[in-house]
Amino acid sequence: MEDYEYRDLMREELIRARRNQGQQSSMTGSIVISMILLVAGAAVIMHYMGLIVLPK
């Protein structure tokens, strides 16, 4: 394999790895934010129903 072929191959793999990492990070962030909002919403509903008391 020539130097230029190897360099092109490594560039393509690096681009692919960066693209996959960016998608994975944003997906993980979305899941974390969704879970936080779900827990907060459940706490507000349970407080409204009188099941828990939230501190002020």
Side-chain angles (χ1 to χ4, degrees), residues 33-53:
I33 290 171
S34 297
M35 292 301 294
I36 290 171
L37 290 173
L38 186 65
V39 168
V44 168
I45 290 170
M46 290 181 359
H47 174 71
Y48 180 75
M49 294 173 63
L51 298 173
I52 61 172
V53 177

Side-chain angles (χ1 to χ4, degrees), residues 4-56:
Y4 69 90
E5 292 174 329
Y6 180 75
R7 189 174 38 232
D8 290 342
L9 179 66
M10 289 297 110
R11 266 192 202 132
E12 290 172 10
E13 287 187 20
L14 180 60
I15 290 169
R16 191 176 316 116
R18 284 180 178 166
R19 189 178 307 127
N20 290 341
Q21 179 65 30
Q23 290 173 353
Q24 186 178 12
S25 294
S26 68
M27 179 185 246
T28 303
S30 296
I31 291 172
V32 168
I33 290 171
S34 297
M35 292 301 294
I36 290 171
L37 290 173
L38 186 65
V39 168
V44 168
I45 290 170
M46 290 181 359
H47 174 71
Y48 180 75
M49 294 173 63
L51 298 173
I52 61 172
V53 177
L54 297 175
K56 290 189 177 193

